[in-house]
Amino acid sequence: MSDEYKTNRVLQIIQKRTLTLQFLNCHRHILRMDLNSILSQLETNNEEEIKRLLHQYNGENSRTFTFDPKEEDLRSRLCQGLLTVLGRQVGSCCQSTCLETLRILSRDKRVLGPVGTREGMLVLAGLARLQAGEEGGDSLQEDAQTEEEERVVVEALKCLCNVVFNSVAAQQVGAEVQLARGLCARLHAARAGCHEVGLFSLRLLFLLSALRPDVRGGLQRELHAVGLLTEVLERTLDLRWVGPYEVAHPGLQALPIPAEDNERAMEALKALFNLTLSDTSDEGGDHQLRLVTAIMRHLLMLKTQTEDKTEEAHSHAINLLSNLPVSCLDVLIDLPVQGGQEEYSGKNMDAVQVLLDFMEKRIDKQGANYKEGLTPVLSLLTEGSRYHREIRRYIKTQVLPPLKEVKVRPEIGSTVRNKLVRLMTHVDMGVKQSAAEFLFVLCKESVDHLLKYTGYGNAAGLLVARGLLAGGRGETLYSDDEDSDTEEYKSAKPFINPITGHVEEPMPNPIEDMTEEQKEYEAQKLVNMFDKLSRQQLIRPMGVRRDGTLAPLEEALRQPTADSCSSDSD
């Protein structure tokens, strides 16, 4: 291959790349010119031309979420121009097209300056049929009538959701003009309105309550939003009450929750979660929260259109239940028994079993985020077991049945106990603590009982954290019902290794054939190794104080021994 050929080939490649760059620069220039032409057209009163240009822009950018930083100023001016058009008397079709463009632009938090102002927010609130202002008024305008008017309301609500989510200034203005009051008025009046109007009204309420603590407080105290959202759930799920805190059983032949109803219910649950994060106690508050608990129990017994959506619904229900006072959880089991068992005092454990199934499913989910997906249900089951004897007794029969298999390590196997014991040594501290605390409560916070099911090695983290390395019990008082050991466990108990929690196969004694001199040499060698590691501060020998907490070995040894003090029998 000649040098001339190589040179020509390189020149051809450079020329192609130059043409490509020129094309890209030209394309960027065309896009910039398009925005400029849109801005120019917005200053006119030609609605048809405005709609045409914006419709083209919307089609090209409907899936755009990352924007060119160089056009930031143009997009900001476009936001202002759109608000100007929306403030004029234009047709519903033009309004919805402008709002769709504004919704696309509102994905970029850097261009929301014009929209996050009081004037911009009031324009959007008016188009969403939410009468906003400092005085609040009735906070609701006449419902949309035509399909095009409904589309305007929906697009305005979508814009408000994006703007509130992406702009701190908009959040402040939304609180000042009392958007939440208008949303509550709409939800209170709505019966069988447009699905998307209800959905995005709930979503906007969720965002405001999540991002503004002052709005959340007003929703709780002044607008009684917990009761309002409870009513929304009753309507959405078409509930029928048959007792003070009992919803009619859905039955085995009940149809799945329709997809649209499920969407609105999930948004209502998310908003309720925000409102119950802080103390909600007031006159009648306990009654209201018990109603919420009853609805959550009903939701746990329902199915949706898909298994994933059912799991999502159950997850939201569990998150909400975790916020409620533990005293309300008796509503989950205080129902007539339908195929239940009398050994649990006639309590209905159907909902508790759903929670256990959900927990195991989350444990088994590969690659799952245990901290977000598993710890809420573990926390809920732990607190329910701690304060409700029937719940604890039922869960223990499912998770920690009488121990028979003692030849396998507790963390090995496919039972729920095995899975939970494995979590006791999980790398995530929150997950590890949640699993250990759950098992500890099932054992009535008895160290001896916990070690029986988990082994000392798996339980060490919890015992250190609770100061129970020396044994004993936690602080919670439990009933006096006793656990009965199986014959298999009783016969194997003397041979169980307390560290591993199982009967180990006999191991050959490594010093059996050594002489006394060899044993002394190996012992001295080991002492020297520990001394060297200790002096280099690579390890620090620790001991256990009399109160069960860890301390440096020299400090623990200085404390008087149990034999030299008066002892109290347990």
Side-chain angles (χ1 to χ4, degrees), residues 29-39 53 56 60:
H29 177 70
I30 291 172
L31 286 176
R32 191 171 291 111
M33 289 299 294
D34 282 343
L35 286 178
N36 280 316
S37 63
I38 293 173
L39 286 167
L53 289 175
Q56 180 181 350
E60 293 173 355

Side-chain angles (χ1 to χ4, degrees), residues 248-254:
H249 193 274
L252 296 176
Q253 303 301 320

